[in-house]
Amino acid sequence: MHIAILYNRDHELLEDDPGREAREDVMRVASALADALSRGDTHAEPLAVEGSRLEFVDLLARIQPDLVINLCESVAADARGEMVIPCLLDMLGLPYTGSPALSLGLALHKDKAKELLKARGVSTPGFARVDRLADVGTVELPFPLIVKPAREDASVGITRDSVVHDRAALGRAVEAVLRAFHQPALVEQFIPGREIYVPLLGNNPCRALPLTEIRFGKLFEDRPNIVTYAAKWESGSPDYQNTPTGPCRLEDPALEARLVQTAMAAFAALECQDYGRVDLRVTPEGVPYVIDINPNCDLHPEAGFAKAARSAGIDYPALATRLVEIALERAHGHPTARRKGPGAARLLDSSNRNVLAGRGGVRNRARRSRASAE
């Protein structure tokens, strides 16, 4: 079996990229999966998507891998390009792991995802989208609120100042998002309580792996308990050191069942597939609220998803193999699966393109991934 592992190599494109660490981390994931899967007659090869050029499409059309593992979280350092990759793979007629383009796009457009959740009756915090600073006055939500970029993931753009308690602070937080990210700001009701993650694996059936929880340390005794960008990616920061992730211990089985049911309902609402993670805030009264859906979550051996799998008795090579099996089962058994049409062949007839640089593999980075990272 020949497996191509697509990953974005774009963390060096922008000097002031606020999501550089998150983009760099995916290279390590590609390397780890290649090592885990390259056994016997299976060859797994990392292939980089670099810049805004799409030479990898030509390369995939030539090598025709049996499966593509899609790890791409951005194109040309723009998270909105994430949904482009499944579209191109569909045109090539190649089976791939993870959710389709629509699901990735909805998850990234957080306000649209929340509209779907509300329509499906899935609990999520009240919210408003703010496109211009002048619109801050139209926000009619009770404080405290949390402000974040509407088109990012991996806690990009979230700092200790993201939680606000009055309209002046709201204006400053919205202005910071608009200025730094050039996209709308999502304003949500801030839900005090525990932060619990539900990892999901499989399709029919979909199962929940053991739940994990963020433990907020002493640093957060006098500030809002939120996972900032520093807490996820900057290992030397106080935020990181005071937000360890560990197994979630719930004494009430009914509460755990409610959390899993809420996570699965959110996953189904966006038509996600294969694997992913749903992030919840849980009030002291036991009411869960979906705060994020991660259909393309971090698959590094030391990240939260793989740790949850290990807790369920699935080591990393077995998890990698299971991801391949799940994707192939879905691709070969889905009634709407189809091969590429003649238009795709014409699109790919581009002999003047160069072979994608760096196809021989990736360099394993020393930076340790945040256990709860995307």
Side-chain angles (χ1 to χ4, degrees), residues 305-323:
F305 194 90
K307 286 184 175 181
R310 281 202 297 273
S311 297
I314 307 171
D315 63 16
Y316 193 69
L319 174 62
T321 300
R322 185 61 189 136
L323 291 171

Side-chain angles (χ1 to χ4, degrees), residues 2 9 134-135 146 170 199 212 243 294 296 299 301 322 331 340 343 360 374:
H2 183 198
R9 185 158 62 192
D135 296 334
I146 182 169
L170 174 61
T212 58
T243 52
N294 300 278
N296 197 2
L299 293 176
R322 185 61 189 136
K340 61 181 179 293
E374 306 291 324

Side-chain angles (χ1 to χ4, degrees), residues 86-227:
C87 289
L88 293 171
L89 296 175
D90 283 335
M91 292 188 69
L92 288 168
L94 295 174
Y96 55 88
T97 60
S99 292
L102 179 60
S103 303
L104 296 181
L106 288 171
L108 188 66
H109 290 68
K110 297 181 185 299
D111 53 309
K112 296 300 180 185
K114 289 171 71 68
E115 288 174 5
L116 268 177
L117 294 181
K118 288 186 65 177
R120 291 287 190 97
V122 181
S123 59
T124 188
F127 71 100
R129 193 183 89 178
V130 180
D131 296 87
R132 302 176 304 165
L133 187 58
D135 296 334
V136 168
T138 66
V139 175
E140 297 182 354
L141 295 169
F143 289 96
L145 303 171
I146 182 169
V147 181
K148 61 185 75 171
R151 308 285 185 263
E152 301 289 343
D153 56 12
S155 285
V156 171
I158 297 180
T159 71
R160 65 176 300 170
D161 297 323
S162 295
V163 176
V164 298
H165 298 268
D166 55 55
R167 197 158 294 276
L170 174 61
R172 291 192 296 270
V174 167
E175 183 179 18
V177 168
L178 297 176
R179 184 178 63 252
F181 297 95
H182 309 286
Q183 61 182 271
L186 182 72
V187 180
E188 284 184 309
Q189 286 182 273
F190 176 68
I191 306 297
R194 303 167 70 176
E195 185 151 329
I196 297 174
Y197 301 155
V198 182
L200 299 174
L201 179 65
N203 296 306
N204 294 305
C206 175
R207 62 176 291 196
L209 299 175
L211 279 56
T212 58
E213 181 174 2
I214 296 292
R215 313 288 183 188
F216 293 98
K218 291 185 177 180
L219 179 70
F220 293 88
E221 289 179 353
D222 59 349
R223 54 181 278 196
N225 293 356
I226 60 171
V227 182

Side-chain angles (χ1 to χ4, degrees), residues 61-74:
R62 288 198 296 273
I63 65 177
Q64 288 289 304
D66 299 290
L67 178 71
V68 176
I69 293 180
N70 177 28
L71 301 178
C72 287
E73 298 177 355
S74 58

Side-chain angles (χ1 to χ4, degrees), residues 327-362:
L328 291 177
E329 288 167 359
R330 170 179 49 76
H332 295 159
H334 200 285
T336 62
R338 63 181 178 86
R339 300 296 298 172
K340 61 181 179 293
R346 290 194 295 272
L347 173 69
L348 299 169
D349 185 16
S350 51
S351 58
N352 60 331
R353 289 181 176 174
N354 296 323
V355 173
L356 178 64
R359 62 172 294 192
V362 298

